[in-house]
Amino acid sequence: MELKEAINLRRSTRKFKKKKVKKSDVMELIESARLAPSAANRQPWQFVILEKEKKDEVANIMEKELDKQKNIKDSKQDPTQPYDPTTSLLGSIEVIREALILILVFREKRNAWLRGDYLSIGCAIENICLRATDLSLASLIIRDVIYTDDRIAEAIGYEDKELVVALSIGYSNEFPYERHKKSIEKIMEWY
């Protein structure tokens, strides 16, 4: 597949088949991430691949947070409250349980390189998503791990690292529609 085709075909998938992902394909994804550009060539990423019970443990940790947030909301019952992003936790939990592979992305806890590290990790994640599309795999970037990042890190023995993001990987069980993208004129100025 040509790169432009992979860019055009990549979609965020939320429904996955129960079809095993080959270890060699997962290794291809991590190799693609490893080759991503990084600020000062720091390569700040650490990838942890989870399957089965370990993957479900992440979903369980997030589910406990969801229950806690629901209890807080139920006690307030104030419809004027601003949007609480933790409401997306339920969808993320379902995706983590359904996908067969979960990739956690960590970085060192060093604030001096925060912006550069996040930018670099974003490049690595994009490489993973595009290579997944190229391998006929589906992916979803899961930001919601930020609500339980310390607990997830501790549960898998990475308490000295910061959990930045997670990615669900597998074979798509849906045909995600193309999302509307802003026109070039709305996102760019050229002087």
Side-chain angles (χ1 to χ4, degrees):
M1 180 180 300
E2 293 292 322
L3 177 60
K4 186 172 182 177
E5 185 181 6
I7 291 170
N8 286 328
L9 291 176
R10 192 219 56 82
R11 298 285 183 274
S12 295
T13 298
R14 289 168 178 81
K15 302 241 180 258
F16 293 90
K17 294 178 182 175
K18 293 297 179 197
K19 179 181 174 185
K20 185 164 176 55
V21 177
K22 294 186 289 191
K23 183 176 181 178
S24 60
D25 284 348
V26 175
M27 296 304 291
E28 280 282 327
L29 300 179
I30 302 306
E31 177 64 7
S32 296
R34 186 183 73 79
L35 297 173
S38 67
N41 198 30
R42 281 181 38 80
Q43 303 170 59
W45 42 71
Q46 179 73 42
F47 302 97
V48 177
I49 315 303
L50 301 179
E51 296 179 279
K52 302 175 184 164
E53 296 83 16
K54 276 303 214 184
K55 175 186 66 73
D56 290 341
E57 188 177 345
V58 170
N60 293 340
I61 291 167
M62 293 171 70
E63 195 165 48
K64 285 179 186 169
E65 179 64 20
L66 178 65
D67 290 342
K68 185 173 94 178
Q69 291 299 321
K70 186 179 180 315
N71 289 336
I72 291 169
K73 283 185 176 189
D74 288 348
S75 68
K76 289 182 181 177
Q77 291 295 320
D78 184 356
T80 62
Q81 286 280 329
Y83 171 71
D84 178 359
T86 59
T87 56
S88 65
L89 273 167
L90 181 58
S92 294
I93 292 163
E94 290 172 358
V95 170
I96 289 170
R97 288 194 198 286
E98 195 168 299
L100 296 183
I101 299 288
L102 183 67
I103 301 173
L104 300 180
V105 186
F106 290 90
R107 67 177 283 278
E108 290 179 21
K109 291 183 177 180
R110 290 181 60 194
N111 289 334
W113 281 94
L114 199 62
R115 284 189 182 181
D117 285 356
Y118 287 159
L119 176 64
S120 302
I121 287 169
C123 292
I125 290 167
E126 182 67 6
N127 278 11
I128 288 173
C129 292
L130 291 176
R131 185 65 176 130
T133 301
D134 186 42
L135 293 169
S136 299
L137 292 168
S139 62
L140 180 69
I141 299 168
I142 301 177
R143 169 199 74 86
D144 288 335
V145 294
I146 64 171
Y147 300 115
T148 54
D149 55 353
D150 289 339
R151 284 170 273 170
I152 293 169
E154 183 180 340
I156 63 165
Y158 273 70
E159 50 276 317
D160 62 327
K161 304 271 188 200
E162 175 192 1
L163 175 57
V164 177
V165 71
L167 293 104
S168 284
I169 303 290
Y171 290 95
S172 181
N173 199 21
E174 66 177 345
F175 194 76
Y177 62 90
E178 187 171 349
R179 293 193 184 267
H180 171 74
K181 300 291 183 182
K182 294 177 183 177
S183 69
I184 288 179
E185 295 78 23
K186 289 195 184 223
I187 64 168
M188 180 189 75
E189 289 186 33
W190 189 328
Y191 298 98

